[in-house]
Amino acid sequence: MPSERGASHVALVIGTQKGLFVARSSLARARWRLEGPHLAGYEILHAWLDPRNSQTGYAAAAHPVWGAHLYRTGDAGRTCTPLTRWLPQSRAYVSVLREAMDADGIEPCGLYFGTTNGQLFASRDGSEHRRVPARFLPRILSVRAAVVARDPDR
């Protein structure tokens, strides 16, 4: 859990069937300001906001006609760029489930997405480039990244 030291506000990213919403509040959390919908018309299966830079966020979205997409924002959701190199764009029937997206919090940010057809996508540079470290797994239901401390006894 990030420390509140140096924090400016609290932000909640809320994925809905009608798009992505962001609720922001001061650290006192007495009043909230709702923004959105961003990516209107898409079902947002998972969203993640970078705690080190609240302008940067990612969303896994599904559309009944256009299928699964991953998006990145660098301006707090005002614009969203599709990460078209991440998922196949034609003849692919995949989706990223609600718990199958995470980030590791290392600088630069590492992102990880698992798909319903068993592919694991990974980036170590904030989504500029991607790798596929695993293929042909069973349907991926969840992905969690952990930065593990070194064992001092080793």
Side-chain angles (χ1 to χ4, degrees):
M1 188 65 128
S3 166
E4 70 183 62
R5 196 173 320 164
S8 63
H9 66 282
V10 176
L12 303 175
V13 288
I14 306 161
T16 75
Q17 291 180 321
K18 305 282 184 177
L20 176 70
F21 293 84
V22 179
R24 297 182 192 273
S25 178
S26 69
L27 295 177
R29 299 175 305 276
R31 291 191 208 153
W32 293 86
R33 184 180 80 244
L34 189 63
E35 305 164 2
H38 306 290
L39 300 171
Y42 282 87
E43 183 177 1
I44 305 302
L45 301 175
H46 192 85
W48 182 79
L49 188 63
D50 190 336
R52 297 162 301 166
N53 174 359
S54 65
Q55 300 293 302
T56 302
Y58 299 87
H63 190 277
V65 176
W66 300 304
H69 290 83
L70 300 173
Y71 287 91
R72 174 180 54 207
T73 183
D75 58 11
R78 286 183 285 285
T79 60
C80 295
T81 304
L83 301 175
T84 56
R85 296 180 309 200
W86 275 72
L87 292 176
Q89 298 299 300
S90 65
R91 297 186 187 154
Y93 304 98
V94 302
S95 184
V96 177
L97 297 178
R98 283 173 175 76
E99 299 300 320
M101 178 176 130
D102 204 8
D104 60 22
I106 297 174
E107 188 64 42
C109 183
L111 297 170
Y112 309 92
F113 299 91
T115 67
T116 54
N117 70 346
Q119 291 177 301
L120 178 67
F121 294 94
S123 171
R124 60 181 182 188
D125 57 12
S127 76
E128 291 301 315
H129 301 91
R130 69 140 168 98
R131 296 181 51 220
V132 183
R135 288 182 163 89
F136 310 115
L137 293 171
R139 182 179 194 186
I140 297 175
L141 303 178
S142 66
V143 172
R144 285 294 169 260
V147 178
V148 180
R150 292 179 194 214
D151 185 346
D153 296 331
R154 288 187 170 193

